[in-house]
Amino acid sequence: MTRPSALRFWLAIGWLALVAGWAWWEYSHFSGLYRWLAEWQIAKWGGYEQVWTALVPAFILAIPAFRVLRERELLNQASLIAGDDPVPILHRVRSGVLICGVILALVAGGSYLYSQTLPDPSDPPATVDLAALGGAAPPTGSAIFARAVPDTDRALQMDEAFRSRSADIDHQTIYVPVVAEGAAKDAPVRFFIDRASYAFADSGEAPRTNIFLADHMQGVLVENGLPADVVAAFEKQGVATASPHYLMTTNSVGGRQTYYIVTALGGFIAVILFLLAAIQSASIARARRRTA
């Protein structure tokens, strides 16, 4: 078996990065193959699996890169069995792990730093008077609506189930269009508000459907804050969404949530890779002592 070149190795790593970026883009924008698969599942079963819809196509596309990495690993093992000096092999493995860890750490750090430029949910709320605002852009961040009417007749309910060994939880989010007092309801909707509810499936309860409080429209106002699949669902039921639109979310971190997720995942994987690099360093030291 011919040893894969360093170029093939880094091309495989680059391909994995491209596939991961593509999968994340389609998931976050509800577009392309991800959207087609989601809509096919919705038409067939009435819902879709968000995680598996993104992961399965990404895994299939990543198979060629996995094969290159597997070939490299098998050749490394064969070299060690043949009695070759293990130090160069361990050096290559450690270098690859370190580079990937540094890249992920930079992504995690950049995501966190960017999240801090977004509005802080803990700031005192600004009053957004929809009737007086007209077509002007509202201030984003912590806010409270005034002279606003929730259009509950056009509310959209999104359900999602979380299954684990300890509990099965049904999560429901209701997205409600909000219009200014006296405004026509046939124009594209600029403002929305969300409410979330949870219920344990084994308790026999159902998520509450009366969780929307018309007299308590306070939260974090996020520009273009509706998830892409929610925008598509509104369009399917005939509710046009303005561009830009604004979501008053009750999520405690507001528009920072996606970036916090990227930070947490990237940082977690980077820490694992750095630990693996440390283990490789210890293995290199032991190998050098044995050959000394």
Side-chain angles (χ1 to χ4, degrees):
M1 185 183 295
T2 305
R3 175 174 294 278
S5 66
L7 177 61
R8 284 188 66 197
F9 171 77
W10 289 113
L11 284 175
I13 296 296
W15 178 249
L16 289 176
L18 285 174
V19 169
W22 167 81
W24 175 258
W25 175 269
E26 294 216 334
Y27 168 79
S28 60
H29 290 76
F30 196 66
S31 61
L33 179 62
Y34 178 87
R35 178 169 183 168
W36 183 86
L37 290 173
E39 291 178 342
W40 175 76
Q41 292 174 75
I42 292 171
K44 194 171 183 65
W45 296 296
Y48 75 102
E49 291 286 342
Q50 294 186 9
V51 175
W52 291 113
T53 302
L55 287 184
V56 171
F59 178 80
I60 293 173
L61 289 174
I63 287 176
F66 289 145
R67 290 191 60 184
V68 172
L69 298 179
R70 180 58 177 165
E71 288 175 10
R72 190 180 183 91
E73 176 62 21
L74 290 175
L75 286 170
N76 287 340
Q77 293 178 9
S79 297
L80 292 174
I81 293 173
D84 294 344
D85 184 3
V87 173
I89 297 173
L90 295 174
H91 265 301
R92 288 195 297 269
V93 173
R94 185 182 64 177
S95 297
V97 169
L98 275 175
I99 291 173
C100 292
V102 169
I103 292 173
L104 283 173
L106 290 174
V107 170
S111 179
Y112 177 78
L113 291 176
Y114 180 76
S115 73
Q116 300 309 296
T117 66
L118 300 176
D120 188 347
S122 63
D123 289 341
T127 299
V128 180
D129 188 328
L130 296 194
L133 186 67
T140 55
S142 182
I144 184 169
F145 282 151
R147 290 200 288 175
V149 179
D151 187 0
T152 53
D153 291 337
R154 296 190 292 173
L156 178 67
Q157 178 177 310
M158 303 292 284
D159 298 305
E160 188 174 2
F162 298 91
R163 302 294 180 240
S164 67
R165 293 182 179 179
S166 58
D168 293 341
I169 302 175
D170 291 324
H171 172 240
Q172 177 190 87
T173 304
I174 298 177
Y175 297 92
V176 183
V178 178
V179 297
E181 289 181 351
K185 295 184 178 181
D186 55 351
V189 180
R190 293 184 67 205
F191 297 96
F192 298 84
I193 190 167
D194 67 13
R195 287 291 184 270
S197 179
Y198 299 85
F200 290 96
D202 56 2
S203 68
E205 300 178 0
R208 292 174 295 159
T209 57
N210 60 340
I211 56 177
F212 182 74
L213 305 177
D215 59 345
H216 187 68
M217 289 185 284
Q218 180 175 346
V220 180
L221 197 60
V222 181
E223 183 175 349
N224 294 324
L226 284 178
D229 58 338
V230 174
V231 174
F234 268 122
E235 291 176 352
K236 186 170 290 187
Q237 70 177 33
V239 178
T241 303
S243 181
H245 67 266
Y246 300 88
L247 172 67
M248 175 77 76
T249 179
T250 54
N251 189 302
S252 60
V253 295
R256 301 182 177 189
Q257 180 175 4
T258 299
Y259 301 98
Y260 284 166
I261 292 173
V262 172
T263 299
L265 289 177
F268 176 72
I269 298 174
V271 168
I272 292 176
L273 292 177
F274 289 145
L275 288 175
L276 290 175
I279 293 172
Q280 291 296 320
S281 296
S283 299
I284 290 171
R286 286 196 299 268
R288 283 174 173 166
R289 285 196 298 268
R290 285 196 299 267
T291 57

